[in-house]
Amino acid sequence: MNKENGISDDELAEIIKAYLDAKEKNKNLLKYNLNIIEELHANENAHTRILLKILNYEDSNGKKIFLKEFIKLLNEQLNNGFQIDDSEISAYDIAGQFAYIDGYITSKNNAIIIENKINGAVDQYEQLQNYINTAQKQYINPENIYVVYLTNDGTKEVSNISLTEYAKEILKYKDNHGRFIEINYRDHLLPLFRFYLKSLDGKNEKTIETALYQYIDFFESRFGERKWEKEYNKKMNEELKKILKITDSPTEADKEKCIEDIENLQEQLEKLKYDIYPTNPQIITSLLRSHFNNKQNINDKQPFTFNVGLYKATLVFLGFKVPHIDDDCYFGCDICVEKESKISFCFYYRNSNGWITSPSEFQNIINQNNDIKQCLLSQSFELNQFCYNKSDTFKDFDDCKIKIKNFFSSLQSLSNKE
């Protein structure tokens, strides 16, 4: 009997059986539900398109009533006298993916830049600074540029590599004051969508009503606010308390012991998942992100600095700078667990204007950094237009992790050259 982490194999099996029995007993509480957005697994770009489509809605009088309320919401978050002009809502144009900007709402004199991080994508190097520069190139006065940082629930914070000192200066952002606005779907947009839907009562606008109903339902599920789901979760929590022998009035010592037991159980269940399916892409990706997240470098040595993000279920992004090679270089590597036992690397380059997508420009840059080029070629990377690609296989998480570390170790040896 294995008593690792305080739970034996027999105890774990007993807990799992009791949980499955409780799930079967309460399955009648689960209601049929079809949400198209859930079924299509909308990513950040899709959510931005939906939001912009909603904001672009015009009523029978040709007025963008939802955009007006959205700008009102943004103005409520501003302080120190900053306000977005809402006197001529009809003068605003709404565009998506304009020069890599997720959402771009502009009038002749104003620009609202929306950066959507609903799924927690990593901040890219000088990302918001580049977007501000784009607005200035469109002849927008810097004093009329507003940046909206839109997150899932407000827990993700913007990083200094994206919101640079230069960007903060343009936005007059200091001590949470300025033209940088942080809002989220849970606390700001979900209530706004409900308001939108209610305002359509009796207007026979079925298309927008249906879209809003689906979107509200999507977020109510995401944030645990569906009525029938709350009822089911409440019942299952009661069952789990019985299974784990949690009393209704626990002492402080009981609470601490309970938390410890739950954490041990979670850890053991994670190990069980890995034992059952050690090459599952989602499991491997989660382990990779956990391993590399919040680390300054791969090998616990200088000179690499990293940002780690999870773009989708099977993709980890590592962005890094390499000193001593080119002060302007900023490389990015997508590490994608494509399917079980297979991993691919995609090696990019960016400068102050963004990721290089011109094949000739990318090749020219790589040719100027011959050490990196030779390093990539020596590890069987192949040139593919504006990036280098490589695929590999792995046996398990440890093997996958070693292959990633070996790749970055070879680059690190180059950066140590004087």
Side-chain angles (χ1 to χ4, degrees):
M1 182 180 294
N2 177 19
K3 194 72 175 177
E4 185 182 358
N5 290 329
I7 301 175
S8 71
D9 291 342
D10 289 342
E11 288 171 329
L12 182 61
E14 186 179 332
I15 290 171
I16 292 174
K17 183 181 184 306
Y19 168 77
L20 292 175
D21 288 344
K23 188 176 178 182
E24 177 66 22
K25 185 174 77 172
N26 293 290
K27 68 179 183 180
N28 63 305
L29 295 176
L30 294 173
K31 308 296 183 184
Y32 172 81
N33 190 75
L34 173 60
N35 188 289
I36 295 173
I37 300 166
E38 279 184 334
E39 296 303 320
L40 294 178
H41 305 287
N43 60 17
E44 287 175 342
N45 289 337
H47 282 291
T48 301
R49 290 195 299 271
I50 294 171
L51 173 61
L52 297 182
K53 198 75 174 179
I54 291 172
L55 295 181
N56 219 10
Y57 166 77
E58 295 181 356
D59 67 7
S60 58
N61 296 315
K63 294 183 178 179
K64 295 179 179 178
I65 56 175
F66 294 164
L67 178 60
K68 184 176 181 66
E69 291 298 326
F70 179 71
I71 291 178
K72 178 182 176 182
L73 168 69
L74 299 182
N75 280 334
E76 289 171 353
Q77 314 305 312
L78 290 166
N79 42 45
N80 282 12
F82 295 114
Q83 289 285 283
I84 302 170
D85 181 17
D86 62 353
S87 59
E88 293 187 43
I89 296 297
S90 60
Y92 280 96
D93 291 320
I94 300 176
Q97 292 300 311
F98 176 82
Y100 301 106
I101 300 173
D102 289 339
Y104 193 53
I105 303 174
T106 56
S107 65
K108 182 178 180 181
N109 300 313
N110 297 274
I112 303 170
I113 295 166
I114 301 176
E115 175 57 21
N116 196 331
K117 299 291 187 182
I118 184 174
N119 292 331
V122 65
D123 291 335
Q124 296 181 26
Y125 179 66
E126 296 181 351
Q127 187 174 25
L128 296 181
Q129 175 178 314
N130 292 334
Y131 296 165
I132 291 169
N133 288 339
T134 295
Q136 289 181 286
K137 290 176 183 177
Q138 301 296 312
Y139 305 105
I140 300 294
N141 187 323
E143 295 182 357
N144 294 328
I145 297 173
Y146 296 81
V147 173
V148 178
Y149 195 74
L150 176 58
T151 62
N152 183 56
D153 57 10
T155 55
K156 177 175 170 53
E157 297 180 354
V158 68
S159 69
N160 290 328
I161 69 158
S162 177
L163 186 66
T164 62
E165 291 303 315
Y166 168 83
K168 291 177 183 177
E169 176 61 29
I170 292 292
L171 299 173
K172 303 302 179 188
Y173 184 69
K174 185 177 181 181
D175 299 327
N176 295 323
H177 298 305
R179 296 191 309 281
F180 177 75
I181 307 167
E182 294 178 280
I183 61 173
N184 64 77
Y185 279 92
R186 184 189 64 190
D187 302 321
H188 301 101
L189 292 195
L190 179 54
L192 188 64
F193 295 150
R194 288 171 176 152
F195 173 81
Y196 287 168
L197 184 60
K198 188 175 181 179
S199 70
L200 293 171
D201 281 352
K203 294 186 178 179
N204 196 28
E205 294 277 4
K206 294 300 181 184
T207 301
I208 185 65
E209 285 180 10
T210 303
L212 283 169
Y213 183 86
Q214 283 272 298
Y215 214 29
I216 290 167
D217 179 70
F218 170 83
F219 284 112
E220 286 182 343
S221 174
R222 190 180 183 102
F223 301 128
E225 295 184 23
R226 277 182 185 154
K227 184 177 179 180
W228 58 268
E229 284 183 343
K230 289 168 76 172
E231 185 179 354
Y232 173 77
N233 291 333
K234 179 182 177 182
K235 199 69 177 176
M236 287 301 295
N237 282 341
E238 292 172 357
E239 298 282 0
L240 286 169
K241 285 181 180 180
K242 293 177 184 176
I243 294 169
L244 298 175
K245 299 179 175 61
I246 301 172
T247 63
D248 290 333
S249 302
T251 64
E252 287 301 314
D254 290 336
K255 291 177 183 178
E256 291 179 6
K257 177 65 167 55
C258 177
I259 295 298
E260 182 181 351
D261 287 344
I262 291 174
E263 289 176 348
N264 288 337
L265 178 60
Q266 288 175 327
E267 183 178 344
Q268 201 147 344
L269 288 171
E270 285 296 319
K271 290 180 179 179
L272 181 60
K273 281 199 306 185
Y274 182 60
D275 287 342
I276 294 171
Y277 197 173
T279 55
N280 177 270
Q282 284 80 9
I283 295 173
I284 293 292
T285 302
S286 177
L287 290 169
L288 286 175
R289 189 185 188 196
S290 176
H291 177 77
F292 291 119
N293 202 16
N294 298 323
K295 289 195 174 186
Q296 288 300 305
N297 47 74
I298 293 291
N299 292 317
D300 300 319
K301 297 177 182 178
Q302 290 301 329
F304 286 122
T305 56
F306 287 89
N307 299 297
V308 183
L310 188 66
Y311 280 162
K312 55 185 179 181
T314 57
L315 181 65
V316 170
F317 173 84
L318 297 178
F320 54 96
K321 276 192 170 183
V322 185
H324 311 309
I325 295 178
D326 185 337
D327 289 339
D328 293 328
C329 279
Y330 185 80
F331 291 103
C333 187
D334 290 345
I335 301 171
C336 182
V337 186
E338 297 177 342
K339 55 185 178 181
E340 55 182 82
S341 304
K342 185 177 180 181
I343 183 172
S344 68
F345 296 82
C346 197
F347 193 78
Y348 302 94
Y349 174 88
R350 77 168 285 141
N351 59 22
S352 59
N353 294 320
W355 294 108
I356 300 301
T357 57
S358 163
S360 60
E361 188 175 358
F362 177 78
Q363 292 179 40
N364 182 52
I365 290 164
I366 289 295
N367 288 335
Q368 292 176 25
N369 292 276
N370 191 57
D371 285 346
I372 289 181
K373 179 180 179 180
Q374 294 306 316
C375 175
L376 294 171
L377 293 176
S378 70
Q379 296 194 55
S380 302
F381 275 79
E382 295 182 357
L383 180 63
N384 181 12
Q385 295 189 3
F386 53 86
C387 64
Y388 272 88
N389 293 105
K390 171 187 176 180
S391 293
D392 206 343
T393 58
F394 62 90
K395 298 176 182 176
D396 52 25
F397 168 64
D398 288 333
D399 186 38
C400 185
K401 182 174 63 177
I402 288 170
K403 290 181 184 295
I404 293 172
K405 291 185 72 171
N406 287 344
F407 167 59
F408 285 104
S409 293
S410 62
L411 284 174
Q412 187 175 42
S413 65
L414 292 176
S415 64
N416 285 329
K417 291 183 179 181
E418 296 296 335

